[in-house]
Amino acid sequence: MPPGKVLQPVLKMKVDELFLCWLSESSTQAMLRDCLRRIQVPARAERGAGDAELPGPRLAAAAPDPAWRPRECEGPGAPGPTPAPTALPVGAASSARSGPPVRGPRRSGGTRVVQTRKEEPLPPAASRSVPTFYFPHGRPQDTVNVDAVIAKIERTFAQFPHERATMEDMGRVAKACGCPLYWKGPLFCGAGGERTGSVSVHKFVAMWRKVLQNCHDDAAKFVHLLVSPGCSYLVQEDFVPFLQDVVNTHPGLAFLKEAAEFHSRYITTVIQRIFYTVNRSWSGRITCAELRRSTFLQNVALLEEEADINQLTEFFSYEHFYVIYCKFWELDTDHDLLIDAQDLARHNDHAISTKMIDRIFSGAVTRGKKVQKEGKISYADFVWFLISEEDKKTPTSIEYWFRCMDLDGDGALSMFELEYFYEEQCRRLDSMAIEALPFEDCLCQMLDLVKPQTEGRITLQDLKRCKLANVFFDTFFNIEKYLDHEQKEQASLLRESESEGPELSDWERFAAEEYDILVAEEAAGDPWEDGYEAELSPVEQKLSALRSPLAQRPFLEAPGGLGTVELYEYECGGDDLPPS
C-alpha cells in the first residue's frame, strides 16, 4: 500500500478478519500463553516470599531488574494448566526464541521454597458464548406452529379446482397464511404464479414453509416475497406487481380500470413516495431494517380496512398523485414526460432561484444520466422535487436541499455557500422594489435560528435539530415563501412547528388545497392556459361518465405505454433504465 494512504473501510474489514484468523490459531494461543507466563511468574515470586529464591537451576532471584521489560502481548487467550512455571532470568535481554536461558548468580541466603498458588484456568475464549443480538430476518418466535399454518393453507387450497389458486383466489390464501389481504400479490408472485397463471398447493406450501422457517417477522417475509433471486433488498421494479394488484382490486381505485394507460403513472408516483420515505440511506435499495423502521407495512394493512384510498395520505392517496401529475403536466409543455431547467423554473411563478434550479440539474439529488447528458429530469424526479419543495421539515427534504446547497460536498454549509445563494435573493428583492437585508444581518438571523454546534459551519444534523429548517431554506432560494415567513413573527412560526396532535403536514395541507382548486376549476370548466387543446378520448368519455376527477383534464392524453413504469434511476452504477 502506498505510504500515507488510509485503509479503505472494505480493506480494513478484511485486515480485521485476517487478524482474527491468526489469533485463533493454536500456535498463536500457545505463544500468547507463554508470554503471559513470563509476565506473571516474576510478580508472583515477588509477592511470595520477598528475597527467597525459586528452586531449580533456571530460576533466579525473585526481584526483577527494572531494566528488563517483558514483551507486550495482547490477545483474548487465557493461560491453561501447565507444568512448573518458567521465567527468564533477571536482567536477561533475550526471549525464549533467541536462545537458552542464562543461569543467574545464586544468592547466599537460605533455601526456602516459595510455593506459588496455582490459579484456576479460565475457559478458552472460544467456549464463551455470546447471546445472539443481531437478527437480520427478525427475532425467531417459538409460538409459531408451522404445521398448523400449513394445514390451514392446504384446507384452503382444497376448495379450489385441482387445488390450484389463481390471482383471484389469493386473497383467501393470504388470510390463511395470517397475512394482510393485499399481500396476495406478493404471495402469488413469490410462488411463481405470474409465470403460470396459477399456483399449486404443493408449490405454495413449499414456498411458505421456507418463508416461515427463515423469516421471522413481517418485514423479512415481505422482502423475501418480492426480491429478485440472489438479492436481499428491494429495488423499485420489485414493487410493481404488488402495486398493480392494488390498482386492479382496491375499491378506491375502481375508476382507474377504464384507464389502464395511467396505471403506470400512479404506480410510479407511489414507488417514488415509498423510496422517499422508507429508503433513508438514499441507496435505492430498501432493506429489511429500513422496512421495519418505517410505517409502510402498517399502511399496506390499512388498505384492507380503508375503502377510501385518499385517506392513506402517506403513500397511496390518489388525490396526491393527481396533484403531482397536474403540476408536472403544467410544466411539461411539449408533453414528452421530461422537463428541463427552463420548465422547472416556471414552477410556482418562478419562485425558486435559478442557482438552485441549476443545482437540481447538476446531479446533486438525481442520478440519471439524462440529467447530465440532456439536461432533463423525468416525472419520477419531479415527485421528489415537489414533495421536498412543499414540505421542508421532513428528514428526506432537509437532506434533499442540504445536498443542493452543499456546493463542495464537504458535509457542511460554509458562509461562502450561503452568500452564493443569498446574492440572487437580494437581486430579486431589488427588482421587486423591496429592500433586502444585508447578508451580514441575514447571516446573524440564520445562525440564531439554527444554532450550529461548530462556529461558521452548518451541518445536516444542525438543520435536522432545528425546528425551522423550512425558514432557513426558503430564505436562500424561494422568494415567495421567504416573503411569507417575513410577514410572520418567528414565535408564531415556532408555535406552528411545535404543534402536537394529528396536525396535517405541510405536504398534506398543500395537496388538499391544490386538489380543491383543481376540482373547482374543473367544475367551472376553466381550460388550462397553456394553449393545449384536445378532444376527449374514448377513455376520457368513460371516466367522465363515472364522474372521476381524472377525466376532466386534457392531461389524460399523455403518451405512455400500457402498464409500463418510469422508475427513478437510483442504480449505483449509473446505467440508464430502459425507456418506458
Side-chain angles (χ1 to χ4, degrees), residues 341-342 344-345 352-364 366 371 404 407 420-421 424:
Q342 289 73 25
L344 190 61
I352 300 178
S353 68
T354 56
K355 289 183 178 180
M356 181 52 66
I357 296 294
D358 292 340
R359 284 295 295 162
I360 293 172
F361 281 82
S362 70
T366 56
V371 178
C404 291
L407 299 176
Y420 171 80
F421 287 100
E424 184 174 354

Side-chain angles (χ1 to χ4, degrees), residues 78-357:
T82 58
T86 60
L88 287 177
V90 176
S94 61
S95 65
R97 294 187 177 186
S98 61
V102 179
R103 180 178 300 179
R106 285 188 174 273
R107 302 182 58 166
S108 60
T111 58
R112 285 188 304 160
V113 176
V114 177
Q115 298 293 336
T116 58
R117 183 176 62 88
K118 290 186 177 181
E119 298 181 357
E120 288 295 327
L122 296 175
S127 66
R128 301 177 191 173
S129 60
V130 178
T132 305
F133 59 88
Y134 176 56
F135 302 95
H137 300 290
R139 183 180 293 273
Q141 301 176 3
D142 299 332
T143 58
V144 178
N145 190 337
V146 176
D147 293 334
V149 175
I150 296 301
K152 187 175 181 180
I153 294 173
E154 289 175 343
R155 289 195 299 270
T156 303
F157 268 86
Q159 303 173 19
F160 306 142
H162 309 292
E163 293 189 335
R164 297 186 69 88
T166 62
M167 187 61 204
E168 289 73 19
D169 303 322
M170 289 306 295
R172 296 159 64 184
V173 176
K175 304 309 290 184
C177 294
C179 299
L181 175 64
Y182 283 92
W183 280 45
K184 52 191 175 72
L187 287 170
F188 188 71
C189 295
E194 78 282 0
R195 297 188 298 269
T196 60
S198 62
V199 178
S200 67
V201 60
H202 303 293
K203 191 169 185 179
F204 186 88
V205 165
M207 181 274 297
W208 192 242
R209 185 184 295 275
K210 181 179 178 181
V211 170
L212 291 178
Q213 292 173 349
N214 299 324
C215 306
H216 307 293
D217 65 357
D218 287 346
K221 293 174 184 176
F222 192 84
V223 170
H224 180 87
L225 292 172
L226 287 183
V227 294
S228 303
C231 287
S232 59
Y233 50 81
L234 293 171
V235 296
Q236 297 187 22
E237 292 86 346
D238 295 331
F239 286 90
V240 174
F242 158 69
L243 292 174
Q244 187 64 57
D245 177 61
V246 173
V247 171
N248 293 338
T249 59
H250 196 278
L253 297 172
F255 61 89
L256 271 182
K257 291 181 180 179
E258 301 295 333
E261 60 268 37
F262 302 106
H263 292 183
S264 64
R265 299 293 162 248
Y266 174 81
I267 291 174
T268 300
T269 306
V270 176
I271 288 176
Q272 299 313 312
R273 298 193 67 184
I274 291 172
F275 275 79
Y276 186 92
T277 304
V278 178
N279 186 214
R280 300 297 305 117
S281 63
W282 285 64
S283 64
R285 301 171 176 181
I286 294 179
T287 61
C288 290
E290 287 181 324
L291 206 59
R292 289 189 191 101
R293 290 191 293 265
S294 72
T295 60
F296 174 71
L297 292 179
Q298 291 87 323
N299 278 265
V300 173
L302 289 175
L303 285 170
E304 178 182 357
E305 304 173 9
E306 184 57 68
D308 185 3
I309 197 79
N310 295 316
Q311 297 300 318
L312 305 178
T313 57
E314 193 168 1
F315 302 105
F316 302 103
S317 172
Y318 173 79
E319 291 182 357
H320 288 194
F321 154 70
Y322 183 63
V323 170
I324 296 172
Y325 198 78
C326 286
K327 289 293 181 182
F328 179 80
W329 193 256
E330 291 175 355
L331 301 177
D332 185 20
T333 53
D334 56 0
H335 309 311
D336 62 349
L337 299 180
L338 294 171
I339 57 177
D340 57 20
Q342 289 73 25
D343 294 330
L344 190 61
R346 293 189 291 105
H347 172 71
N348 197 17
D349 196 19
H350 297 269
I352 300 178
S353 68
T354 56
K355 289 183 178 180
M356 181 52 66
I357 296 294

Side-chain angles (χ1 to χ4, degrees), residues 321-478:
F321 154 70
Y322 183 63
V323 170
I324 296 172
Y325 198 78
C326 286
K327 289 293 181 182
F328 179 80
W329 193 256
E330 291 175 355
L331 301 177
D332 185 20
T333 53
D334 56 0
H335 309 311
D336 62 349
L337 299 180
L338 294 171
I339 57 177
D340 57 20
Q342 289 73 25
D343 294 330
L344 190 61
R346 293 189 291 105
H347 172 71
N348 197 17
D349 196 19
H350 297 269
I352 300 178
S353 68
T354 56
K355 289 183 178 180
M356 181 52 66
I357 296 294
D358 292 340
R359 284 295 295 162
I360 293 172
F361 281 82
S362 70
V365 288
T366 56
R367 298 189 181 181
K369 288 186 176 179
K370 289 184 178 179
V371 178
Q372 285 79 20
K373 293 181 179 179
E374 303 176 12
K376 294 185 177 182
I377 62 175
S378 65
Y379 171 67
D381 298 312
F382 182 79
V383 174
W384 283 63
F385 162 78
L386 186 63
I387 297 177
S388 299
E389 162 59 18
E390 299 303 334
D391 190 353
K392 298 185 177 72
K393 298 176 183 177
T394 64
T396 305
S397 64
I398 294 174
E399 293 165 6
Y400 185 96
W401 295 117
F402 183 87
R403 287 180 176 221
C404 291
M405 293 188 69
D406 187 12
L407 299 176
D408 54 8
D410 64 347
L413 302 182
S414 64
M415 304 304 103
F416 167 79
E417 288 166 331
L418 299 183
E419 185 176 14
Y420 171 80
F421 287 100
Y422 190 70
E423 285 176 351
E424 184 174 354
Q425 294 289 81
C426 291
R427 291 197 300 268
R428 300 186 71 181
L429 289 172
D430 291 340
S431 65
M432 300 167 64
I434 300 176
E435 183 179 0
L437 276 176
F439 174 71
E440 292 75 11
D441 296 340
C442 176
L443 182 61
C444 290
Q445 289 185 0
M446 293 300 103
L447 293 178
D448 291 340
L449 185 76
V450 178
K451 296 180 175 61
Q453 291 185 335
T454 304
E455 184 178 357
R457 288 167 57 88
I458 296 178
T459 65
L460 182 61
Q461 293 304 319
D462 293 331
L463 290 171
K464 287 185 176 181
R465 189 172 54 251
C466 170
K467 297 183 180 297
L468 295 175
N470 58 324
V471 178
F472 175 84
F473 288 126
D474 290 333
T475 299
F476 291 101
F477 58 80
N478 191 311

Side-chain angles (χ1 to χ4, degrees), residues 19 23 29 32 74-78 123-125 128:
F19 173 74
L23 197 60
Q29 297 290 334
L32 294 177
E74 295 180 359
R128 301 177 191 173

